[in-house]
Amino acid sequence: MNQQENFPTLAVILAAGQGTRMRSSLPKVMHQVGNRPLLGHVLAAADAAGADALAVVVGPDTPEVGEYVRGLAPHARTFVQRERLGTAHAVLAARPALQTHEQGCVLVLFGDSPLIGAETLARLRQTLIEGAAVAVAGFLSEQPDPYGRLLVEDGHLRAIREAKDATPEERAIKLCNGGVMGFRADHCLWLLERIGNTNAQGEYYLTDAVEQANAAGLSVVAVEVAEEEILGVNDREQLHAAEQIFQRRRRRRAMQEGVTLTAAETVYFSADTQLDADVRVEPCVVFGPGVQVGRGARINAFSHLEHVHIEPAGIA
């Protein structure tokens, strides 16, 4: 058994945001990329990373989010954040799950970040296995101005400095806060409970766990990840950007698995599309939900397919 298999993991997914910038009656995390809700992508990544338990924090006015979770991941526990008082407050809404998860680690994810990958979560977990009490995902940006900076000294993350509070020297730092965090389970609840709300907004910020951990002499480490991995979706433009990244990744994966895309940029995939090797896809094809294509089949140009299983004898 490897170290990760012997290090039980609880994934806490924060999905209570109102998403007012989406200008929609649909909860933000239910908007789709690749015909799958944003939240569904995060749940899938946590499952692929081998999370042993899932806790999803939802808002009091979005019952459809809880229903979706129960349908997709019936083993997950859902918790309601009745007041939106910051990210640390949101994680503590899942207190019963944290209290029963005493060993291993806790990964805190965001339900509006659909591009997070299982490998990234595994890297955060490995950092905790190797002794860090807190691991923070960070990314390098050529345009870091709006982001909090990760202040790293001698391999240790000393602080997260918000852009508005940063000195000129700190603003020159390009390693930015990605939001996603990991905690060793034996320190997680204790650290969260020490976070206060003495700030202008009166909210409890998850990032303050870094300061608390350092003050207690615990190891805090930044883990560099690709910027697109932790892209959050807050408006329609960001939703569009996430869709484009998803499609680019999915086309690349299809070709690496032996699929021919004669005009790759014109082919659109769903998250559950299954194509066997030696499938040939002509231009301007849309794979809707529930499509499976067997080895050697050809998909003609301008096809729009949904809920169908195609074998070579049945060319679309």
Side-chain angles (χ1 to χ4, degrees), residues 42 47 64 69 121 174 180 283:
V42 183
D47 184 63
E64 58 268 59
V69 172
L121 300 183
K174 294 183 178 181
V180 175

Side-chain angles (χ1 to χ4, degrees), residues 76-295:
R77 301 173 69 181
T78 57
F79 301 91
V80 178
Q81 183 189 19
R82 300 202 175 278
E83 295 181 275
R84 293 179 172 90
L85 299 178
T87 46
H89 180 263
V91 178
L92 282 172
R95 183 188 297 271
L98 298 172
Q99 289 173 328
T100 57
H101 190 80
E102 299 177 345
Q103 297 181 334
C105 73
V106 177
L107 298 178
V108 180
L109 314 176
F110 295 85
D112 62 359
S113 298
L115 302 173
I116 192 77
E119 291 184 4
T120 290
L121 300 183
R123 289 179 58 212
L124 284 168
R125 183 165 55 184
Q126 186 61 39
T127 301
L128 299 168
I129 289 172
E130 293 171 356
V134 181
V136 179
F139 63 95
L140 289 174
S141 176
E142 293 302 316
Q143 296 180 318
D145 289 350
Y147 303 111
R149 306 304 203 277
L150 300 187
L151 308 186
V152 179
E153 297 177 3
D154 300 323
H156 295 279
L157 178 60
R158 299 304 183 189
I160 299 177
R161 187 80 73 238
E162 293 304 317
K164 58 181 172 48
D165 300 322
T167 66
E169 292 77 14
E170 291 169 345
R171 284 197 294 272
I173 294 171
K174 294 183 178 181
L175 184 61
C176 303
N177 177 31
V180 175
M181 297 177 67
F183 297 84
R184 285 191 68 96
D186 50 353
H187 297 304
C188 182
L189 191 56
W190 179 81
L191 285 171
L192 292 172
E193 289 177 337
R194 290 174 66 87
I195 293 173
N197 67 338
T198 53
N199 51 66
Q201 288 72 33
E203 295 187 350
Y204 301 84
Y205 294 128
L206 188 63
T207 51
D208 288 349
V210 171
E211 178 183 353
Q212 296 295 337
N214 276 301
L218 300 173
S219 174
V220 185
V221 176
V223 178
E224 186 181 333
V225 305
E227 183 173 358
E228 67 180 36
E229 287 266 327
I230 39 76
L231 173 68
V233 173
N234 295 296
D235 57 33
R236 303 286 181 157
E237 289 186 71
Q238 292 173 341
L239 182 66
H240 175 264
E243 182 74 52
Q244 300 314 302
I245 295 169
F246 168 82
Q247 294 298 335
R248 185 178 70 244
R249 285 180 174 183
R250 190 63 185 81
R251 292 164 187 152
R252 183 187 306 122
R253 180 180 132 200
M255 290 186 284
Q256 290 173 342
E257 292 175 348
V259 174
T260 295
L261 304 178
T262 61
E265 69 280 2
T266 70
V267 178
Y268 277 73
F269 288 88
S270 291
D272 64 351
T273 303
Q274 298 180 39
L275 306 181
D276 288 345
D278 291 323
V279 168
R280 177 182 173 87
V281 183
E282 295 183 348
C284 301
V285 170
V286 175
F287 292 107
V291 176
Q292 300 178 47
V293 183
R295 179 182 291 269

Side-chain angles (χ1 to χ4, degrees), residues 14-96:
L14 307 186
Q18 293 175 298
T20 54
R21 288 162 58 189
M22 297 296 288
R23 298 185 180 275
S24 173
S25 59
L26 186 70
K28 179 172 65 169
V29 297
M30 295 302 291
H31 285 265
Q32 297 189 350
V33 163
N35 289 312
R36 173 183 284 171
L38 305 179
L39 178 56
H41 286 274
V42 183
L43 287 165
D47 184 63
D52 303 275
L54 294 171
V56 182
V57 179
V58 303
D61 47 0
T62 55
E64 58 268 59
V65 177
E67 291 171 7
Y68 175 71
V69 172
R70 287 187 288 274
L72 183 66
H75 59 289
R77 301 173 69 181
T78 57
F79 301 91
V80 178
Q81 183 189 19
R82 300 202 175 278
E83 295 181 275
R84 293 179 172 90
L85 299 178
T87 46
H89 180 263
V91 178
L92 282 172
R95 183 188 297 271

